[in-house]
């Protein structure tokens, strides 16, 4: 009997050691990887003026999200590498470790089922856009549903919002790198949906576009960073950094810099 007990204890201890080693490997934080390799990889779409936009003249990324990523990397003492992605693959890219974090993304329950979120640092709402010449016909939310075609960028929160809010309209989902507002500019769609901050930038770039309901945005949403869901150590680190930078006014200053 004593021999059986000793064998049982020895096997149990061996199993426990294996479990401890397995857990230490399985839950190794990307924070250690970033510090060891000296590179912070950030997934960004480059199609969001004012936030993440790849300037065709310089071939460089610029915007609020780009400055945020550069500041975080600088404070960590590492370099930043921007990894091109699109809205449709934004979540899968961070889940598959293609990059360590993303640029700003709206917080949704669907995304949170797969990826993790940091604390939020900015908020906005959804607005509709149309051509200036159509403003008299399309003047409010009520005038959109029905006979109007609505363009959205595939994989964004606006795709689902359009389907829920305008069930009687034709929804045109545009795959990146194309954008929804381009369908309105070309006359292939009557209306496009985007965030208020994005729309304010677009009307300065394209005077022929008009915001239908700037004072009545729908579906207020918060922006945050997508990260691996199970990596609480990495999430905690960024959250502490966000809180510190909020307190120092960095996010407000950066938003003002890009007219957000």
């Amino acid at each position: 009997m004593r021999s059986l007990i000793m064998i049982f204890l020895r096997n149990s201890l061996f199993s426990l050691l294996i479990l401890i080693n397995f857990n230490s490997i399985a839950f190794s934080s990307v924070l250690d990887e970033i510090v060891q390799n000296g590179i912070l990889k950030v997934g960004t779409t480059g199609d969001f003026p004012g936030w993440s936009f790849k300037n065709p003249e310089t071939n460089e990324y610029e915007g609020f999200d780009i400055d945020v990523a550069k500041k975080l990397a600088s404070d960590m003492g590492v370099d930043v590498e921007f990894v091109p992605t699109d809205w449709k693959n934004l979540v899968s890219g961070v889940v598959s470790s293609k990059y360590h974090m993303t640029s700003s993304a709206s917080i949704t329950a669907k995304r949170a089922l797969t990826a993790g979120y940091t604390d939020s640092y900015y908020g906005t709402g959804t607005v509709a856009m149309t051509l200036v010449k159509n403003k008299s016909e399309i003047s409010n939310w009520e005038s959109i549903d029905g006979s109007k075609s609505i363009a959205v960028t595939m994989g964004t929160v606006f795709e689902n919002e359009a389907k829920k809010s305008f069930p009687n309209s034709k929804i045109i989902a545009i795959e990146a790198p194309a954008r929804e507002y381009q369908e309105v500019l070309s006359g292939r769609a009557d209306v496009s949906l985007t965030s208020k901050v994005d729309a304010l930038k677009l009307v300065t770039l394209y005077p022929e576009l008009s915001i239908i309901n700037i004072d009545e945005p729908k579906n207020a949403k918060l922006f945050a960073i997508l990260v691996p869901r199970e990596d609480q150590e990495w999430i905690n680190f960024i959250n502490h950094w966000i809180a510190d930078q909020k307190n120092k006014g960095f996010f407000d200053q950066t938003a003002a810099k890009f007219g957000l």
Side-chain angles (χ1 to χ4, degrees):
M1 177 64 72
R2 183 176 179 182
S3 298
L4 290 174
I5 294 175
M6 292 299 294
I7 292 172
F8 173 77
L9 290 175
R10 189 163 55 245
N11 289 341
S12 297
L13 179 59
F14 181 69
S15 298
L16 180 60
L17 289 173
I18 291 177
L19 182 62
I20 291 172
N21 287 331
F22 174 78
N23 284 337
S24 65
I25 294 173
F27 294 101
S28 178
S29 176
V30 299
L31 178 60
D32 298 321
E33 175 190 327
I34 294 167
V35 173
Q36 289 169 8
N37 296 336
I39 299 175
L40 170 64
K41 295 182 180 180
V42 181
T44 193
T45 61
D47 63 352
F48 202 0
W51 293 85
S52 169
F53 180 71
K54 195 166 189 179
N55 191 323
E57 295 181 1
T58 63
N59 205 34
E60 297 289 336
Y61 289 102
E62 56 189 43
F64 177 93
D65 287 333
I66 306 308
D67 278 19
V68 168
K70 287 180 177 179
K71 174 63 174 170
L72 174 59
S74 175
D75 289 348
M76 294 179 69
V78 300
D79 295 326
V80 62
E81 176 185 331
F82 294 106
V83 181
T85 187
D86 55 42
W87 293 104
K88 185 177 64 175
N89 297 300
L90 190 68
V91 173
S92 62
V94 77
V95 171
S96 63
S97 302
K98 188 175 181 180
Y99 32 81
H100 304 120
M101 56 179 268
T102 69
S103 292
S104 294
S106 300
I107 298 176
T108 67
K110 184 177 180 180
R111 285 173 174 168
L113 288 172
T114 307
Y117 275 111
T118 65
D119 291 339
S120 178
Y121 43 79
Y122 201 92
T124 188
T126 299
V127 297
M129 303 188 72
T130 190
L131 294 175
V132 172
K133 66 180 183 179
N134 296 334
K135 191 66 183 290
S136 59
E137 179 187 354
I138 309 173
S139 58
N140 51 44
W141 288 113
E142 290 71 26
S143 61
I144 296 175
D145 196 25
S147 60
K148 303 298 182 288
S149 55
I150 303 172
V152 292
T153 299
M154 190 181 298
T156 63
V157 295
F158 309 108
E159 184 178 5
N160 286 330
E161 285 182 15
K163 293 175 182 177
K164 291 179 180 178
S165 299
F166 307 105
N168 300 311
S169 293
K170 177 184 177 182
I171 309 300
I172 304 172
I174 305 303
E175 190 166 3
R179 279 285 308 273
E180 77 295 326
Y181 68 85
Q182 295 168 332
E183 296 298 294
V184 174
L185 286 172
S186 66
R188 291 188 293 267
D190 300 307
V191 172
S192 64
L193 295 187
T194 188
S195 70
K196 181 176 179 178
V197 291
D198 185 33
L200 289 170
K201 300 297 293 187
L202 288 172
V203 292
T204 63
L205 293 172
Y206 306 98
E208 59 268 49
L209 287 176
S210 175
I211 304 173
I212 296 171
N213 36 27
I214 189 170
D215 295 324
E216 298 179 5
K218 280 182 176 290
N219 303 314
K221 56 184 67 66
L222 297 173
F223 285 171
I225 295 169
L226 284 166
V227 290
R229 185 179 66 175
E230 72 282 357
D231 198 339
Q232 195 58 53
E233 186 175 343
W234 177 221
I235 294 172
N236 288 343
F237 177 84
I238 303 181
N239 283 344
H240 292 319
W241 180 83
I242 288 173
D244 182 46
Q245 295 306 313
K246 273 186 174 181
N247 186 53
K248 293 176 179 176
F250 168 71
F251 291 106
D252 289 339
Q253 294 164 12
T254 307
K257 173 183 175 180
F258 292 100
L260 303 176

